[in-house]
Amino acid sequence: MSGLRERKKEATRAALSWAAVRLTAERGWSAVKVEDIAAAVGVSPRTYNNYFSSKAEAIAFRHLERSLRLAAELRHGPPGEPLWEAIMRAALRQLEPGPEVEHMPPQGPDEWAAGLRVMLAEPALEAEMLRAGKIAEKELAEAIADRAGMNLGADLYPRLVAASVMAASNVALELFVQGGTGEPMEVLLPRALRMVAAGLPTP
Amino acid sequence: MSGLRERKKEATRAALSWAAVRLTAERGWSAVKVEDIAAAVGVSPRTYNNYFSSKAEAIAFRHLERSLRLAAELRHGPPGEPLWEAIMRAALRQLEPGPEVEHMPPQGPDEWAAGLRVMLAEPALEAEMLRAGKIAEKELAEAIADRAGMNLGADLYPRLVAASVMAASNVALELFVQGGTGEPMEVLLPRALRMVAAGLPTP
DNA sequence: GCGCAAAAATACGTGCCACGCATTTTTCTG
DNA sequence: CAGAAAAATGCGTGGCACGTATTTTTGCGC
């Protein structure tokens, strides 16, 4: 695997996804046609659907990738590490900006948060983002089950941990995007993870 | 409110939702046209879209209603009751079959679970179900924040509890639908809720 | 280098669906 | 019972997902 062919494919996929995000942020969701996204990347409209099976999927793709990396990292970390420490480390790693930031226009986090909010206001996008999270959650649950020597079909634990981790991530992101407290994700996310790990007794 | 007018509207909405579920279980998702659903209820296709803004929304509606009831029940319960006890009680209440079972063909839980699995295999449906859960989660978070005298914009706690409750519900449902263990929801759900409430230390 | 097989991109066509707008029918209210 | 409000409907439009057939590109062994 990882031949030139596949890397080019991934590059095209990333380009389409990025173009979808950028155009949507600029013009709004309904003003962007699939044709536009394809044109921005220099590809035929039909080809777009060879990469993504819906308009929304292209936007959720970046979210999906980030979330999947969390599971992957959990698998490749030191096996002896306590579970929650490994989770914490892997989760924080996802906050580091990836190499795709080069393409990112230099706007501040406020504009970015605003863009996110606008996007998630669109029902179709919200739904697709959640679906991406769900797919990643499944991967995460499998990784955890492997680590703990458990069975996904029989034990609640791996699924519960995976679901709780995603829940904590989502909640932290919501609070961050909404921007009530000025705290950055690097603060909110670990706090949320520690809370779900330790339990949520009535305070 | 609650005049004859609104009750008729709700009846139509429920009928459309139910027809969508039944037809999809019978013929499969892509074989059901909006026209069919409307015809089954005796309403014009255009009217369908006055009730639901997408084909999938009609199916997710039942899930949405059930989930919303959880939040509503939390609000109307005894305010002095400890939070997690109230949650447990409200969650278990949702498992009791509602009055809509009269319309349900007398098929066993196995066929029903199989139908559910087929439906959730459809990406568009999975996404819409998740969105419904998210909407309910927001209500739930608000109800919890009210109870605890907290602020949704400032405190992680209400959102985290709400997200964890939904996560536990979903995980229990997944395990039940997948059917690995023969345990009923009445067993799986309380166990999952107790686990997220108490925390998830590495076992 | 070179041609061949596999894979990807494209062109074209189809059916469904979401939705805006204008009109008709039904229901509530005074 | 009459007028107003709200819901249902008819009609038309544009876009999107997708099947199929065709062309172009790419990887690879010789």
Side-chain angles (χ1 to χ4, degrees), chain B residues 101-139:
Chain B
V101 177
E102 311 165 10
H103 303 274
M104 192 114 155
Q107 43 187 5
D110 284 357
E111 286 88 356
W112 184 63
L116 264 188
R117 231 173 317 160
V118 169
M119 290 218 234
L120 292 186
E122 204 68 35
L125 282 182
E126 184 189 8
E128 197 61 32
M129 293 287 241
L130 291 171
R131 196 171 75 94
K134 194 73 188 171
I135 293 172
E137 182 184 317
K138 195 169 164 55
E139 288 295 315

Side-chain angles (χ1 to χ4, degrees), chain A residues 170-186:
Chain A
N170 289 337
V171 165
L173 184 61
E174 280 168 36
L175 215 61
F176 172 71
V177 166
Q178 187 171 328
T181 86
E183 295 166 301
M185 278 296 279
E186 286 80 4

Side-chain angles (χ1 to χ4, degrees), chain A residues 12-23:
Chain A
T12 304
R13 195 188 303 276
L16 283 171
S17 171
W18 175 253
V21 169
R22 185 177 54 84
L23 289 175

Side-chain angles (χ1 to χ4, degrees), chain A residues 18-90:
Chain A
W18 175 253
V21 169
R22 185 177 54 84
L23 289 175
T24 301
E26 286 174 9
R27 313 182 195 168
W29 172 245
S30 62
V32 176
K33 312 297 161 214
V34 168
E35 192 186 341
D36 303 332
I37 304 173
V41 177
V43 106
S44 96
R46 182 62 184 85
T47 295
Y48 172 92
N49 281 94
N50 291 344
Y51 284 92
F52 299 110
S53 60
S54 84
K55 197 168 56 139
E57 206 177 291
I59 290 191
F61 175 68
R62 328 190 89 241
H63 180 61
L64 173 63
E65 253 200 333
R66 292 179 80 83
S67 306
L68 281 180
R69 264 204 297 272
L70 202 158
E73 209 145 335
L74 211 59
R75 284 190 191 281
H76 294 98
E81 195 178 13
L83 178 62
W84 280 100
E85 286 181 28
I87 289 174
M88 191 76 70
R89 203 169 40 74

